[in-house]
């Protein structure tokens, strides 16, 4: 049980809320089909995500961040096109994959109807390493109404450094233990818990497509572990 003092929920958004794998897979395979090119698009989609994360995580620890997430997608897609001999992909094709596609990611089916219910009891915020523009565009596309959006792009330091979590607590004018971080990734939740947040692990078994998530087993120290957002809402309701 998480206790009844939670006042805000902060949601990791890429992967936890948005289905990035299907978005990238569909964009890559559609572009390949245009040129008669066949590749393992699932693997390439996962590499695009994995390497982009590698550029973003912990930015600001030593020097000012070099990329936002849109920059990372562009840089890594060019790298992958070179490695996988996809030179036929034009500048317009690459913009479609790296920019248009993530700005139109679809929300997981079990989240949209739960968010309005959660907002009746909690401040509900996107707290993300994605760019502001990705969050704005995907919220508009999917009909999501966040109470606030906190992007590490504005903080100048990126998860999983402690400063972003501390900044969000300060801006919400709450103690860390009055906030529950919601994510499908242990690395994010573990970092939040180290700062004092409560943590809720929501499983997203399809996040990485057929390959399955690289870190599927939730840390048992998380305060809530559930299989779906409706289950999260029920668990939080029991405590309030």
């Amino acid at each position: 049980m998480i206790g009844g003092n939670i006042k805000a929920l902060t949601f990791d958004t890429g992967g936890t809320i948005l289905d990035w794998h299907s978005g990238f897979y569909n964009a890559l395979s559609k572009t390949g089909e245009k040129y008669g090119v066949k590749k393992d698009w699932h693997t390439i989609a996962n590499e695009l995500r994995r390497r982009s994360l590698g550029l973003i995580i912990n930015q600001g620890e030593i020097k000012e961040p070099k990329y936002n997430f849109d920059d990372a997608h562009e840089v890594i897609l060019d790298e992958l096109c070179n490695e996988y001999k996809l030179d036929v992909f034009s500048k317009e094709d690459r913009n479609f994959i790296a920019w248009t596609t993530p700005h139109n990611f679809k929300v997981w089916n079990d989240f949209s109807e739960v968010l309005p219910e959660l907002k009746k009891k909690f401040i509900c915020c996107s707290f993300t390493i994605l760019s502001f523009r990705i969050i704005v565009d995907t919220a508009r596309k999917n009909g999501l109404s966040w109470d606030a959006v906190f992007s590490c792009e504005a903080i100048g330091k990126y998860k999983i450094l402690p400063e972003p979590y501390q900044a969000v607590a300060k801006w919400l004018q709450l103690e860390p233990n009055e906030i529950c971080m919601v994510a499908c990734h242990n690395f994010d939740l573990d970092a939040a818990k180290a700062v004092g947040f409560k943590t809720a692990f929501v499983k997203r078994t399809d996040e990485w497509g057929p390959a399955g998530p690289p870190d599927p087993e939730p840390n048992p120290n998380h305060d809530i572990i559930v299989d779906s957002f409706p289950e999260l809402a029920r668990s939080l309701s029991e405590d309030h």
Side-chain angles (χ1 to χ4, degrees):
M1 303 295 284
I2 202 167
N5 69 325
I6 296 300
K7 295 181 172 61
L9 306 175
T10 54
F11 292 84
D12 164 69
T13 309
T16 303
I17 305 301
L18 301 173
D19 178 6
W20 63 264
H21 181 86
S22 294
F24 277 142
Y25 170 79
N26 291 334
L28 286 160
S29 59
K30 179 179 179 180
T31 305
E33 184 178 354
K34 182 169 72 169
Y35 296 106
V37 176
K38 295 183 179 180
K39 300 284 184 180
D40 182 350
W41 302 119
H42 286 296
T43 293
I44 296 173
N46 284 344
E47 281 302 299
L48 176 53
R49 182 64 174 180
R50 183 178 292 109
R51 297 188 198 184
S52 297
L53 280 167
L55 287 183
I56 293 295
I57 294 293
N58 288 336
Q59 277 197 117
E61 183 175 20
I62 298 172
K63 54 186 178 181
E64 290 187 6
K66 184 177 181 181
Y67 304 103
N68 73 4
F69 227 112
D70 290 303
D71 299 325
H73 285 151
E74 180 180 358
V75 168
I76 297 302
L77 179 60
D78 284 345
E79 182 180 293
L80 291 170
C81 284
N82 182 57
E83 289 182 23
Y84 285 88
K85 296 180 171 47
L86 296 171
D87 294 339
V88 68
F89 284 11
S90 68
K91 180 178 180 180
E92 291 74 19
D93 295 327
R94 297 182 192 206
N95 186 68
F96 167 68
I97 297 166
W99 203 93
T100 303
T101 293
H103 289 253
N104 287 276
F105 282 158
K106 293 181 179 178
V107 68
W108 293 111
N109 291 334
D110 65 344
F111 182 69
S112 295
E113 293 184 2
V114 171
L115 179 59
E117 293 303 311
L118 292 173
K119 287 179 63 178
K120 293 176 181 178
K121 296 182 178 180
F122 308 100
I123 300 169
C124 291
C125 310
S126 170
F127 175 23
T128 181
I129 59 177
L130 298 179
S131 69
F132 275 113
R133 185 61 188 274
I134 290 176
I135 300 304
V136 169
D137 288 345
T138 54
R140 288 169 61 86
K141 177 179 178 60
N142 292 285
L144 302 180
S145 178
W146 298 109
D147 288 317
V149 174
F150 300 114
S151 170
C152 294
E153 184 178 12
I155 299 170
K157 292 184 181 292
Y158 278 73
K159 299 175 182 180
I160 53 178
L161 298 173
E163 289 90 346
Y165 305 93
Q166 294 164 342
V168 167
K170 177 182 177 181
W171 291 337
L172 287 174
Q173 299 183 40
L174 296 173
E175 294 299 320
N177 65 6
E178 294 177 306
I179 305 170
C180 180
M181 185 75 215
V182 182
C184 63
H185 311 117
N186 283 310
F187 70 88
D188 194 356
L189 295 180
D190 290 345
K193 184 170 282 292
V195 172
F197 281 47
K198 300 295 185 180
T199 55
F201 190 106
V202 181
K203 296 177 183 178
R204 301 285 90 178
T205 56
D206 295 328
E207 186 200 357
W208 291 77
D215 186 21
E217 294 301 320
N219 184 331
N221 292 328
H222 298 319
D223 300 283
I224 295 176
I225 297 172
V226 293
D227 294 324
S228 69
F229 282 107
E231 190 178 344
L232 173 68
R234 289 192 294 272
S235 180
L236 290 167
S237 178
E238 292 171 358
D239 284 340
H240 286 75

